[in-house]
Amino acid sequence: MSQVPRGPRGERGAVTAEAAMALPALVLFTLAMVWLVGLGVTQVRAVDAAREVARAAARSDSAAEAVALGHRVAPEGSRISVSRVDGTVRAQVTSPLRGPGGLLRHLGGVEVQASAVAVQEPS
């Protein structure tokens, strides 16, 4: 049996050391991507909720009914407000976003905001 030539003794374990250095960077990159996807999903849900609330309030639904409809669409923990001014209805949705999977919760979170405006329909 022939023996496979090996590199110099100083390079033994180099692949393991390189992997040990790269693994934390890959984990951080993955967490950052999960955070960005979560941010995007939260923004889309907040925009959808604001649109639904404004549309419902413009149809002459009560503010409470419109807000209840918005809470079904909005992310959990969202704050929703409705205002009527000069024949228009404005809905504002503010949604909190925490770290991915509850990780990094000690760093706090961000709030995503969305608003929508609709013209009040005649009664």
Side-chain angles (χ1 to χ4, degrees), residues 11-24:
E11 292 184 22
R12 285 187 106 174
V15 172
T16 304
E18 290 169 0
M21 294 299 291
L23 193 58

Side-chain angles (χ1 to χ4, degrees), residues 75-89:
E76 187 177 331
S78 296
R79 295 183 311 276
I80 301 174
S81 64
V82 178
S83 61
R84 289 182 166 90
V85 176
D86 296 329
T88 62
V89 177

Side-chain angles (χ1 to χ4, degrees), residues 5 7 15 19 31 48 57 76 78 83 87 95 99 105-106 108 116:
V15 172
L31 284 175
D48 287 345
E76 187 177 331
S78 296
S83 61
S95 302
R105 78 179 70 132
H106 62 281

